[in-house]
């Protein structure tokens, strides 16, 4: 019984190590970025490298991101991502 429980726990830990880009963006705790905005950013950029390389103009083109976030985030996003 204990071996099965330990095995299940280890399997659950391995599964939790894999996440989507949207969940990763949301987990960064960026102000005003909820789950919907994180999903939109993930869809729009398609990958972490593209998101980190995005400038203010590219962020403004993202549907839910908005100008007010785009102006504040180009320096914030890469530093926040690399800090994690």
């Amino acid at each position: 019984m204990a071996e099965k429980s330990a095995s299940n726990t280890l399997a659950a830990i391995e599964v939790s190590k894999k996440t989507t880009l949207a969940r990763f963006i949301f987990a960064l705790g960026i102000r005003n970025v909820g789950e919907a905005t994180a999903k939109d950013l993930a869809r729009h950029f398609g990958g972490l490298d593209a998101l980190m390389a995005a400038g203010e103009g590219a962020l403004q083109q993202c549907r839910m991101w908005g100008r007010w976030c785009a102006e504040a985030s180009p320096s914030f996003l890469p530093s926040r991502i690399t800090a994690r």
Side-chain angles (χ1 to χ4, degrees), residues 31-46:
R31 177 180 244 170
N32 299 314
V33 175
E35 289 183 58
T37 302
K39 286 178 185 176
D40 193 51
L41 284 167
R43 256 190 311 269
H44 185 83
F45 291 102

Side-chain angles (χ1 to χ4, degrees), residues 4 8-10 13 18 20-21 23-24 30 33 37 39 44 58 65 70 72 74 77-78 82:
K4 181 68 172 169
N8 288 343
T9 300
L10 291 174
I13 290 170
K18 298 177 177 112
T20 64
L21 178 59
R23 294 194 100 195
F24 177 75
I30 301 169
V33 175
T37 302
K39 286 178 185 176
H44 185 83
W65 190 243
L77 268 173
T82 55

Side-chain angles (χ1 to χ4, degrees), residues 24 27-30 48 52 74-84:
F24 177 75
L28 290 173
I30 301 169
L48 186 57
M52 288 180 63
S75 61
F76 175 77
L77 268 173
S79 64
R80 185 66 176 215
I81 292 169
T82 55
R84 300 272 168 145

